[in-house]
Amino acid sequence: MRALVYFLLVLPLHIIAQEQTNSEKFWAQLQAHCGKAYEGEIVAGAVPNDGFTGEKLVMHVRSCDTNDIRIPFFVGENKSRTWVLHLNANKLISLKHDHRKPDGTEEELTQYGGISSNHGLANLQMFPSDVHTSQIIPAASSNIWWFTIDDTSLTYNLRRIGTDRFFSVRFDLSNAIETPEAPWGTKE
């Protein structure tokens, strides 16, 4: 009888403990695209002379480790941007924007981003601006970045709360393209 009571008490906890969080489900969806590259298009926030409009936009899920995913985001010939996602011990995801010069050294404004405040949804993760971002880019203190993902697309989005600023790029996950060269600051 004691064994049955133990089994009934412990088994449900064991099952619950193994269930993935929404952030882990999101993470697994991203990792499924590791090594692949996709072309994108601006779906909101395009303005003349913004450096993005009219350029070929490519994301490359270049490296996937257990807790780190690096996704270079190329804008035409500009290979300065890499999204760095990190899954921490609490199963929360952080986003950093790693910006590099052509010689590989860091740009002055780099490593900005945020950390999710909860596990989000399996298809949506949000990253409110963190302290480091507020310190190096005070105007970005109210930024929220987010990614959405489904079977056919991934979007990268930026909203600056309290302003009209909204930027969104949609990548077609149903059509992998040739993988690009390494981003600036990364060796092949």
Side-chain angles (χ1 to χ4, degrees), residues 29-48:
Q29 288 183 83
L30 264 183
Q31 285 189 320
H33 295 281
C34 200
K36 297 178 184 171
Y38 304 96
E39 192 165 348
E41 64 179 339
I42 298 172
V43 293
V47 294

Side-chain angles (χ1 to χ4, degrees), residues 168-181:
S168 182
V169 179
R170 180 189 170 278
F171 297 91
D172 181 1
L173 298 182
S174 67
N175 185 28
I177 62 171
E178 183 177 340
T179 56
E181 295 177 5

Side-chain angles (χ1 to χ4, degrees), residues 21 37 68 81 87 106 112 114 154 178:
T21 64
D68 292 292
R81 300 167 181 86
L87 182 66
E106 285 191 334
Y112 60 87
L154 177 134
E178 183 177 340

